[in-house]
Amino acid sequence: MSKYNKKRIARLFDNMADTKGKAVEQIAGSSESIPQIAGRLAFEQLKLTGEDVLLDVGTGTGDKAIAAAHICRQVIGIDISRKSLEQARIKAEKEKLNNVIFAYGAFEEPCAEFNLALYGITKILAVYSLHHLPDQLKKESLITLSNFLFRPGRMVIGDIMFFDEPNKHLEKFNEVYYDGGDTDFPSRVEYLTECLKQIGGKTRIEQIHPLVGVIISDFV
Ligand SMILES: C[S@@+](CC[C@H](N)C(=O)[O-])C[C@H]1O[C@@H](n2cnc3c(N)ncnc32)[C@H](O)[C@@H]1O
């Protein structure tokens, strides 16, 4: 908990946005990377329809929010990196989308810029963002977010999460974009599922890698 520094993480992603961005989609390589697979599967598991209102938490430069805006009624992307949000807005303007909003907001403070309760959110996505929070803050944030989710609603988390002892997989840290605990604080998968269970989520898990998976949680 003591190492968590939200401002430092925001600066890190501001710098990445400045230097062309390292959104999950932009990790170089000819074949699909593990973070890309997590993002793709998480997006698919949203099962979006034209009725949905999606909240994308830690939206980064907004690629998934923008893809969702082509399907959903409304999309809201929040992030703590204002530079990433600027890029997301530019992309949305280029695509002439008028049903996507990008605003400053954190897992810990999702309504920093506007009241999410007004939007009737039916789906929540978090791709490669939740792992930046330590366990207790994750739990509190999941409780807060679930209070904004209309029922029936779905929350999908595609992220680094430990299915096994991470130290057995040191050589795999790079391929999953895990920095070993500097700004990344992934949880054990059991911790995440227990948090979701406590707030009433019916949860299933897709393991992609010993250190990465997708959690789908339904709230009825
Ligand atoms: C690796 S990027 C992923 C971006 C995007 N979800 C994607 O799939 O490309 C992680 C994002 O999480 C954001 N983030 C980190 N901590 C956050 C927090 N406490 N609240 C909201 N966003 C956060 C970062 O600013 C960054 O944009």
Side-chain angles (χ1 to χ4, degrees), residues 58-111:
T59 191
T61 57
D63 293 295
K64 290 175 191 70
I66 287 170
H70 288 282
I71 308 167
C72 298
R73 184 154 62 82
Q74 175 73 53
V75 180
I76 304 141
I78 61 171
D79 203 286
I80 56 170
S81 163
R82 293 190 186 276
K83 295 211 169 165
S84 299
L85 290 167
E86 275 166 30
Q87 294 202 358
R89 287 188 198 106
I90 291 168
K91 288 182 196 171
E93 267 171 38
K94 274 190 189 151
E95 298 199 25
K96 300 196 191 322
L97 289 165
N98 59 11
N99 64 338
V100 57
I101 301 167
F102 290 106
Y104 179 88
F107 280 101
E108 308 92 307
E109 198 191 358
C111 292

Side-chain angles (χ1 to χ4, degrees), residues 13 19 87 109 153 160 180 195 211-212 217:
F13 283 98
T19 56
Q87 294 202 358
E109 198 191 358
I160 311 172
C195 291
L211 308 177
V212 177
S217 204

Side-chain angles (χ1 to χ4, degrees), residues 94-134:
K94 274 190 189 151
E95 298 199 25
K96 300 196 191 322
L97 289 165
N98 59 11
N99 64 338
V100 57
I101 301 167
F102 290 106
Y104 179 88
F107 280 101
E108 308 92 307
E109 198 191 358
C111 292
E113 285 194 344
F114 58 83
N115 186 0
L116 293 175
L118 301 175
Y119 285 84
I121 293 160
T122 57
K123 306 268 167 81
I124 297 178
L125 177 68
V127 172
Y128 254 73
S129 47
L130 186 65
H131 75 266
H132 289 294
L133 277 69

